[in-house]
Amino acid sequence: MFRSMPKTELHMHLDGAVEVKTAGELIAAGAAPRAVKETGLSAPLSYETLYRRLVAERPLATQAELLKYYDLPIALLQSEEALKRVTDELLRAKAADNVRYCEIRYAPQLHCVEGMSVRRVAESVAGAARRACARYNIRARLIVVGMRSHSHESNTDMLYSALEADTYGMIGGADLAGPEAADPDPASQKPFLDEARKLGLGVTLHCGELPGSAGTIRRCVDLIAPDRIAHGSGAADDEGLCRLLSERGIQLDLCPTSNIQAGLYKDYTEFPAAALHKRGVPISISTDSPVISGLSLSEEYHRMAIQGRLSAADIWKINLNSSDRAFADDSVKTALKEEFLSWAKDVSELY
Ligand SMILES: [Zn+2]
């Protein structure tokens, strides 16, 4: 049922979506020789070796260990060809899983290591996404990510360059990401996110995925007033904060498997999606990084239904309502809603 369900996915990263076969072919074509050498790998690389480098199979001890899985994909995504190919393959995979609308996040600055400009990166991703949407009959928007490791000036410059290159209007939002523990206060990045809002973009930021981070989330809400928060599951510890998120309609874009792999939660039973949903906090469920986390959105929904204390009806409601907070035009949201409701009318398990 979850496979055939038309779905919305709002939280996933392009650099977490480099397929194993694609990585092998990019390396064989000479991409990222230094990164390949640094990882201690030597060519020719078997599928199994690359799989172990790209897919986090078992839960890890820390978030830092999970973040290491992004090193090789980022090193490989330093050319227009690689960016276009991976964008196309991600949308193809999502369409095959019956995701009808998705948002792809990427941090342009991370793809400029070998000399590409932000403008070329943004042109490549937006062009490839637009073509793939037509080819695979799926809708998508892009979210450009500023990095906590860069200054707000640098992130704002990046945003302007990316928007100038986005002639088809694929960019719908701006996000902030990067290791949170070193710099949890978003104050230093407020000018970047304020500028994004002035430019008419949806505003989100990675915040509060670490347990005990309700205080950080509250500070983000007060200071930034985001439309949505990436992760933010730490809010479940604070009833007052849950009320605030519910009243303001600030959605948490949760990624249960990714957080479990990062060692933040023991298992799906402990992950607080059901608690947040019951308290009326708007949530969505996503894969974060479909290849690194090794799963489709249907599988993630299935895990939450089997182990995560959410019923199929809950998951359907979450899926349907999260589409309302997509960073897309109202016409897109209306079309999605019509399609979703028309599919659901004969599925008795959802009511
Ligand atoms: Zn994320």
Side-chain angles (χ1 to χ4, degrees), residues 11 13 206 231 288:
H11 184 173
H13 296 265
H206 278 67
H231 299 296
D288 211 2

Side-chain angles (χ1 to χ4, degrees), residues 11-13 70 105 175 177 206 209 230-231 253 255 258 288-289:
H11 184 173
M12 60 183 184
H13 296 265
Y70 290 87
R105 295 164 195 242
D175 179 17
H206 278 67
E209 60 189 300
H231 299 296
D253 296 322
C255 305
S258 172
D288 211 2
S289 292

Side-chain angles (χ1 to χ4, degrees), residues 34 81 84 86-87 98 113 128 154 157-158 176 199 251 311:
R34 203 178 58 210
E81 296 69 33
K84 287 177 186 169
V86 172
T87 304
N98 219 14
V113 176
S154 159
D157 286 350
M158 172 282 289
L176 180 69
L199 291 164
Q251 178 165 288
S311 66

Side-chain angles (χ1 to χ4, degrees), residues 161-180:
S161 299
L163 285 171
E164 274 165 29
D166 183 32
T167 44
Y168 302 119
M170 293 298 291
I171 297 174
D175 179 17
L176 180 69
E180 195 184 344

Side-chain angles (χ1 to χ4, degrees), residues 60-114:
L60 303 158
T62 63
Q63 191 181 33
E65 279 179 53
L66 184 64
L67 291 176
K68 279 198 199 120
Y69 280 81
Y70 290 87
D71 292 349
L72 183 59
I74 289 170
L76 292 171
L77 290 171
Q78 298 298 331
S79 70
E80 287 183 47
E81 296 69 33
L83 284 168
K84 287 177 186 169
R85 177 172 175 176
V86 172
T87 304
D88 181 88
E89 288 175 352
L90 173 55
L91 285 164
R92 185 180 62 190
K94 289 294 150 185
D97 189 38
N98 219 14
V99 170
R100 304 295 300 130
Y101 172 86
C102 66
E103 292 178 357
I104 302 175
R105 295 164 195 242
Y106 74 107
Q109 289 143 319
L110 297 181
H111 306 289
C112 298
V113 176
E114 288 179 16

Side-chain angles (χ1 to χ4, degrees), residues 210-266:
L210 306 171
S213 55
T216 310
I217 300 169
R218 196 179 273 275
R219 171 113 175 111
C220 284
V221 170
D222 290 343
L223 198 71
I224 310 289
D227 301 297
R228 300 183 345 221
I229 290 174
H231 299 296
S233 46
D237 306 332
D238 182 335
E239 217 166 305
L241 177 58
C242 287
R243 239 184 345 263
L244 184 69
L245 293 170
S246 165
E247 280 163 15
R248 296 207 192 162
I250 299 174
Q251 178 165 288
L252 307 181
D253 296 322
L254 305 173
C255 305
T257 294
S258 172
N259 281 177
I260 292 166
Q261 286 174 328
L264 303 174
Y265 295 93
K266 198 167 82 257

